[in-house]
Amino acid sequence: AAAPPTSPTPTMTLVSIFIWSLTLWTQESSGQVTVTQIPTVKTVSPGDSVTINCRTSPAVYQGWGYQPLDWFQHKPGEAPKLLIHKATNRESGIPDRFRGSGSGSDFTLTISNVQTEDAGDYYCQSRHQISGSWPFPQC
C-alpha cells in the first residue's frame, strides 16, 4: 500500500523580504546620494523578527526638526504602501509590530512577529539637500 500523502507543517512556511539598494545622481551632476539597505534578501519564519538597515550618504536633511526618511512595503500588482514616515512614525493602520528608528545616516526598520502577509519588497526613501537641489531616491 502506498504511504499517505504528507502535508506541510507550519514550520515550513517562509516569508521572503526583499530590500532595495538605490543610487541617485542629482540633475546637473551636482552631487550623488547613495542609499544602501542591508540585507538584500531575508527569508524568515512566521513569528520571527527581522531588521532591515538603511544607510544614506550623505546624511538626510537636518533642517526640518525631524528625520526625513520613510519606509515602504511593495507587493506585486499593488501600489507601494507607506509604513513609517519621519523615520519613527507609523502610518495610520500599520500594526505596531512595524517599528522605525535611527537618525542622520543610519536607519532601521524592525518587523516583530513576522506574518505571512509581510512578504514583499521593502525600501526606504530619504530626502537630502545637495548644492541647492532636493533629490530623493525612490523606486
Side-chain angles (χ1 to χ4, degrees):
T6 60
S7 59
T9 65
T11 57
M12 294 173 70
T13 304
L14 298 176
V15 179
S16 292
I17 294 175
F18 299 92
I19 300 102
W20 294 93
S21 294
L22 307 173
T23 300
L24 173 85
W25 285 268
T26 65
Q27 293 179 355
E28 303 171 9
S29 299
S30 58
Q32 178 180 336
V33 175
T34 302
V35 180
T36 305
Q37 292 179 228
I38 300 172
T40 54
V41 177
K42 182 79 174 177
T43 301
V44 297
S45 298
D48 288 352
S49 292
V50 63
T51 299
I52 304 168
N53 298 303
C54 176
R55 174 167 286 171
T56 71
S57 178
V60 297
Y61 181 67
Q62 297 292 308
W64 291 324
Y66 61 86
Q67 301 297 308
L69 184 124
D70 305 321
W71 287 98
F72 290 85
Q73 176 193 65
H74 190 207
K75 296 181 179 185
E78 298 181 13
K81 180 191 291 187
L82 177 62
L83 302 172
I84 304 286
H85 60 96
K86 299 179 184 174
T88 60
N89 299 293
R90 250 185 325 276
E91 187 69 3
S92 177
I94 300 301
D96 61 5
R97 52 200 179 79
F98 289 87
R99 185 172 54 86
S101 61
S103 64
S105 290
D106 294 297
F107 298 89
T108 301
L109 174 67
T110 302
I111 310 171
S112 302
N113 189 26
V114 168
Q115 304 296 304
T116 55
E117 63 263 28
D118 298 336
D121 298 342
Y122 290 80
Y123 63 91
C124 61
Q125 175 181 285
S126 54
R127 286 173 288 292
H128 306 263
Q129 183 181 34
I130 299 176
S131 303
S133 63
W134 293 91
F136 58 96
Q138 62 180 349
C139 291

